[in-house]
Amino acid sequence: MKKLSLVAALSAIIVSACAPASQVSTEIPERSAAWETAFNAGDVDALMTLYAEDARMMAPNAAPGQGHDAVRAVFSGMIDAGLRGELESVEAVAAGDIGYHVGTYSILAANEVVDRGKFIEIWRKVGGEWKIAADIFNSDLPLAPAAPAGPTLVITHEVKDPAHWL
């Protein structure tokens, strides 16, 4: 039993020693800045070059999607609606061929902020180039009030002096 414990401990030490050290990434925020430029230019094709072919998209109030079609659908809709965005990087870390990026965003329509929130992206090196492998973002704003439940009843009454009542 002691030999098995010793082997397990040594194996853990060797595996952790071989793992790449994580470090602050400057490349990932640069790629994120390219994302912001492409989005604000309305260039969906340029956005797609920043996503891995099998990227997972987890947009708010929507089912998760996977692949370029899912990513394109989310951002095409936003661009077609005339929205643009501003990103702020909070943290970007990489270890070997994988990294993550945490930040905040503001979505604008006609220079007015219509949404703000946070995002987390998982980045993966594909062919030596950083690509977004998973993208999730959600709003900091409260949910809109729900529509009243059930039918609306309108009652009218005829009056002799409408001017008085108006």
Side-chain angles (χ1 to χ4, degrees), residues 27-52 57 71-72 74-76 78-79 83-88 101 104-107 119 121 123 130-132 134-135 137:
E27 289 178 88
I28 291 174
E30 288 170 4
R31 299 283 287 166
S32 190
W35 185 100
E36 184 177 350
T37 299
F39 180 77
N40 290 332
D43 190 346
V44 179
D45 292 330
L47 281 175
M48 293 304 98
T49 67
L50 297 167
Y51 283 85
M57 172 54 61
V71 174
R72 183 180 296 276
V74 168
F75 296 121
S76 290
M78 294 172 76
I79 289 168
L83 301 177
R84 58 186 189 81
E86 296 175 354
L87 303 178
E88 176 133 356
H101 184 214
T104 60
Y105 70 85
S106 294
I107 300 293
F119 66 86
E121 301 159 337
W123 290 73
W130 286 107
K131 303 268 186 176
I132 300 171
D135 191 353
F137 59 102

